[in-house]
Each structure stands twice: as structure tokens, then as C-alpha cells.
Amino acid sequence: MTAAAQRGTTTVSERAVRRIAERATTEALPAPGGTRTARAATSVRGRRAEVSLGVTLPYPAPLADTVREVQRHVVERTRELTGLEVSAARISVIALAAPTSAQPLVSPAEDAVPKSAPRRWWSQRRVPVAVLTSVAALGCGALALDVVQVHTAHLPAAAWRTSAVHWLAGHGPGDPAVLVAGGLTALVGIWMVVLALTPGRRHQSTVRTSAYHVDAAVDRSAVQVLVRDAVGDVEGIGAVRVRVRRRRVTVRAGLAFGDRAGAHAAATAAARAAVTACHLRRDPRLRVVVAPEPVWQPPAPTADASGATPGDGDGRSTPASALASAPGGDR
């Protein structure tokens, strides 16, 4: 029997490895609307192969767990079918796609306890935290560096530290400068406590979502634009001003022509429909004010079916001159 070294070698091309990796990616989530491979790149060097994949994952789904499962399955399946040593596959999520099935991709435990949308989003307060952390780090770092230099290099204490100690030794608690500094420090502390206990993001409102464990919010300026456009489309309405707050939406519209009561009812219905379409977590109170513009005139009285105007029993209008000359017309 011919030795294995004399029978030749089997070479697995990069194209074959790429096809196998793509197939393994689709096997990781075989359900409808699952993972779809957008692009793949492979590199084969001897007995080692490197795989990079760009995938589209189903939404909603746990991103980290899904990527970890796809990565594990691709590595094991490619190693099994090619016989090559495959290092950890690099997975890039390039898009999220809604599943075609009606059921959300969540576990039974998560499905049993759905998560409702919060009334307010909490801000991370990055700017105040960054400023406070930077100031504290700078002060502590400068003090620690000066102390280390004094004890290790036997250098004299820094001038700013000795000046600060001498100034503090010469000023007591009743000194005006000490009182001002203490008051400013107390105000900063109160402000930081207020920032920690308030949610922030006052320009955003949370909305209702049908997906589990998904929080969404809409900017109040977007709600303002939607309500303004909806009210502006009402017949007879001119300029529109909208103010959106957390619990109230105020609409002030100008009436250019038409009936005031009918325009107010139509504007209220349009504004309410626009607010309802936003699916806000908290339904705000709606206040609509329609004020006539300077060019507005009351609509002319309309004739009835017989052609008579109000105030005339025989269907003919009475001129003003006839009323003036009639007996009793001057009373």
C-alpha cells in the first residue's frame, strides 16, 4: 500500500472555507428571519484558517449571546468539515432585521415577565461626572505627586501646598473668604445631589413599544412638529404655535377664515390624532386655543332652502333705507 506522503495532499481552498463558514452561520439560527450572512472573508495558511463574517441578526434578540453562539458554531463546524485549525471567528454585526414570525425571539422566562417602558429615561450625566472626576483626579494626583517627591527624592514641598497650608492656618471659620468658599462647596454638593436624584432628559418622552425589553423615546421637538403640521392642515387655520411639555401639549392657532367653533373642533381632533399616533407612555393633556387673526371676518349668513335670509319672512331682504323710513324705524 502506498504511504500517505506519496499519495499526495488535500488542499482546502479559501473559497471552500468561506462557503462552509457561511453555511455554518445560517445553521446557528435556522428559524425564519434568522441570521443572514452579508459578507465573509477567509484566509488559509497551511493548516490554519482565519474567518471573518459580517452578519445581519434578528431583532429583537440578545446581541452578545447571539453573536457568541454564532461564533462558537462557525468555529466548530468549519473545523469539523475542513480539518483545519480555525481560530476564533471575527463576527461583525452590520444590521438588525425584524423576524418574519409574529413571536418575539425571547426566552420563556423573559416572556413570562414583560418589561414595561419607563415613564422617564435617566440621563447618565456624563458632563458633570467628567468634570467632577477630572477636578478630583487632578487635585489628588498633584497632592500625591508632591508627597511622593518629598518622601522619596527629599525635595522641599511645593510652593502651592505650603501657601495653602499657611493661608488655612491664618483664616478661621468666621473669615468671609472661608464662608464664601464653604457656601460655594455646599451649592456644588446640592447640585450634584439633584443631578443624581432626577432623571434628566427633559427634551425626550418615552413611547410604548410592542417588543419586550426594548425602550424607546421620542424627542419632544418631533412631537411638536407633527402636531403643528396636523393642525396647520385644518381648513381656515393660519399660523400655529405648539408647546410640548411632559404632561401638557398646548396649541395656539390663528383663524384666517371660516367658522371659529368648527375650526376649533377640527384643530382639536387633528392635534389629538397626532399625539395619539406618537404612542407616548404618558398621555399628555391637550389644550387648543384658536384665536381669530386680524384679517378674519365672520362668515356671511347662509340662505335657507327657500332662499330667505334670517330676519325676513317672505324670502326678500329689506334694504337699510326702507328700515330708516318705516314708522318706528328711528326707535
Side-chain angles (χ1 to χ4, degrees):
M1 185 174 182
T2 309
Q6 298 178 359
R7 292 198 301 265
T9 58
T10 301
T11 303
V12 182
S13 64
E14 295 183 355
R15 180 180 179 182
V17 176
R18 183 175 68 251
R19 292 291 183 85
I20 293 174
E22 292 176 355
R23 180 64 179 179
T25 305
T26 58
E27 292 176 355
L29 288 176
T35 303
R36 297 193 302 271
T37 302
R39 62 173 182 267
T42 58
S43 176
V44 179
R45 294 184 179 87
R47 302 295 303 173
R48 298 181 61 86
E50 297 180 357
V51 179
S52 299
L53 294 168
V55 298
T56 300
L57 295 183
Y59 175 86
L63 185 60
D65 297 339
T66 305
V67 171
R68 191 178 300 110
E69 177 63 23
V70 172
Q71 186 180 34
R72 182 194 62 80
H73 185 78
V74 168
V75 171
E76 294 180 356
R77 191 63 171 166
T78 306
R79 183 186 297 126
E80 177 185 358
L81 295 179
T82 62
L84 301 176
E85 181 64 27
V86 182
S87 57
R90 291 188 293 271
I91 306 295
S92 300
V93 180
I94 60 176
L96 298 175
T100 56
S101 59
Q103 297 296 331
L105 299 178
V106 294
S107 61
E110 295 175 344
D111 193 15
V113 184
K115 179 183 177 182
S116 59
R119 291 183 178 270
R120 294 284 299 275
W121 269 15
W122 282 78
S123 175
Q124 297 182 1
R125 311 290 188 184
R126 291 194 177 101
V127 175
V129 170
V131 172
L132 181 62
T133 304
S134 300
V135 172
L138 183 61
C140 295
L143 181 60
L145 179 62
D146 185 63
V147 171
V148 169
Q149 289 181 350
V150 169
H151 289 277
T152 58
H154 303 288
L155 297 176
W160 63 269
R161 188 156 68 96
T162 56
S163 300
V165 172
H166 292 161
W167 187 88
L168 292 175
H171 294 76
D175 191 80
V178 177
L179 294 178
V180 171
L184 293 177
T185 303
L187 290 178
V188 172
I190 293 174
W191 178 242
M192 297 303 295
V193 171
V194 170
L195 292 179
L197 297 180
T198 54
R201 294 191 177 184
R202 300 184 61 86
H203 63 284
Q204 292 181 345
S205 298
T206 55
V207 298
R208 301 185 185 94
T209 57
S210 58
Y212 292 91
H213 298 278
V214 175
D215 297 338
V218 62
D219 197 271
R220 293 180 184 174
S221 61
V223 179
Q224 177 178 332
V225 172
L226 292 175
V227 176
R228 184 185 61 193
D229 293 344
V231 176
D233 292 337
V234 176
E235 184 178 1
I237 296 297
V240 180
R241 293 181 299 171
V242 181
R243 188 176 183 182
V244 179
R245 290 294 180 261
R246 180 185 176 189
R247 299 185 179 181
R248 174 178 292 183
V249 176
T250 304
V251 181
R252 299 183 182 274
L255 182 61
F257 61 90
D259 181 63
R260 184 176 180 180
H264 183 274
T268 302
R272 192 175 304 279
V275 173
T276 304
C278 294
H279 301 285
L280 299 179
R281 177 65 175 80
R282 179 194 293 269
D283 295 330
R285 296 190 300 270
L286 183 62
R287 181 172 180 263
V288 180
V289 178
V290 177
E293 294 183 351
V295 298
W296 177 79
Q297 293 182 358
T302 58
D304 56 10
S306 62
T309 58
D312 191 1
D314 57 356
R316 294 177 295 178
S317 61
T318 304
S321 59
L323 292 176
S325 61
D330 56 348
R331 289 180 299 174

